[in-house]
Amino acid sequence: MVKFAVLGCGVVGSGVVELFEKNKALIEKRCGQSLEMGYILDLRDFPDRPYGNKVVKSLDVILADPEVKVVAECMGGTEPAFTFVKSCLEAGKSVATSNKELVAAKGDILLQTAKEHNVNFFFEASVGGAIPIIRPLHKCLAANDFTAIAGILNGTTNFILNKMIKENMDFSTALALAQEKGYAEKDPTADVEGHDACRKICILSSLAFGKHVYPESVYTKGIREVELKDVELASELGYTIKLIARVQRLENGKILPTVMPMVVEEDNLLSQVNGVYNAVMVRGDGISKAMFYGRGAGKFPTASAVLGDMIEEVQLDHTIPSQTWENVNSTDFIEDFAAFTAKRYVRTTGAQAADLTAVFGQLTGTTLNTADGETVFITDTAMNAADVSAAEEKLAAKGIKVLAQYPVLVS
Ligand code: HSE
């Protein structure tokens, strides 16, 4: 018999407990032995729930029980989660976490601690909710040299953008609905401003390229400034605006991770990912590309991933060597955002075709002129941020303003 404990009984923690109780018989069969939910660590009491008698207030109770082999960390945030997880690993207990903030900020330290104590620090649930992506990257796809990963990694913002596009819902109503459904972070600014997606692309980048990528090194822009007008006009041009988290390896060998709204061509599978669903496109030299898709947030989808990690741990007696990356004290393997280039979706105040081609070169795609005197188009050439600023200046000299611009995703 193996015992487990759950730290934090909020949306995900309660999901772990309830999904385990619901599917206990088949989980035990798959583990090859019986499992028992030993403890729930939480500041609150849950007298009305069937597991109310399992609540403890001190981590020491869990640390002191030699039968506890694995601990689910579902508290969120870096502290006290970091201290608690480190203590569990040092006590010889593996940890499965859904906490992307923790993995993005402290993953290198916790993976090293796990290795030193011959246990595992699992984090499948920290990226993409229910989607298996961590294990495929370091196991099924381990033979590949990865060149790029691009994904929709935040369910809340994808849900909001979708509600805006399909139901004309305003931003705040859609956000309130995402919170009600348990998709959003405690502070939804992390979703809206792109920080949650940033943490997730840090985790995928670290695993795929082998060195810890910290959130501070990633250019991050959220969806707060996305206007319904651009969503509609992009759609008329055959594109969808999505919050895209991406990392690419450049020819100079450096990686360039970014999070920002991008326009995605409608024949790209990522443009079809709607609502709370997430998707991750992985490029590698063996596979060309592979795509992973599923629910990116919510109680049971995330609990499913945490329990999957716990089930693997029950079957193991060693640290998994492929699930790791180096800690680093330099960011010289990360390229500056200034090097990022892409074709652009551009919306300007009324402009003559000749003014636009003088600045952007030949425009072979559709150019739309709106009823209120604006012009939208996709540039033929890839531009970096400096090119965009220079173009804005040239247009401004002619009295033309760039009202919005988004890079076009190539994935
Ligand atoms: N707030 C996150 C999201 C939860 O919306 O995707 C899952 O990490």
Side-chain angles (χ1 to χ4, degrees), residues 353-373:
D355 296 325
L356 298 178
T357 48
V359 172
F360 294 101
Q362 205 183 11
L363 297 173
T364 53
T366 310
T367 297
L368 285 177
N369 293 306
T370 68
D372 55 358

Side-chain angles (χ1 to χ4, degrees), residues 130-141:
I131 305 175
I133 181 63
I134 301 301
R135 206 166 268 100
L137 275 180
H138 73 87
K139 285 196 165 171
C140 321
L141 304 180

Side-chain angles (χ1 to χ4, degrees), residues 253-293:
K254 294 187 183 189
I255 62 166
L256 180 46
T258 52
V259 175
M260 58 191 158
M262 300 182 88
V263 297
V264 184
E265 255 184 299
E266 276 164 9
D267 63 3
N268 183 319
L269 284 175
L270 288 174
S271 79
Q272 311 297 330
V273 177
N274 292 321
V276 72
Y277 282 86
N278 282 191
V280 191
M281 185 83 85
V282 179
R283 275 195 177 273
D285 54 357
I287 53 171
S288 178
K289 57 184 175 182
M291 181 148 156
F292 301 82
Y293 171 82

Side-chain angles (χ1 to χ4, degrees), residues 100 153-156 183-185 191 196 200 296-297:
K100 51 265 160 167
L153 296 180
N154 182 265
T156 301
Y183 303 156
E185 297 300 295
D191 298 294
D196 178 75
K200 292 167 179 168

Side-chain angles (χ1 to χ4, degrees), residues 229 233 236 368-375:
K229 187 168 198 177
L233 291 170
E236 283 188 50
L368 285 177
N369 293 306
T370 68
D372 55 358
E374 294 178 0
T375 307

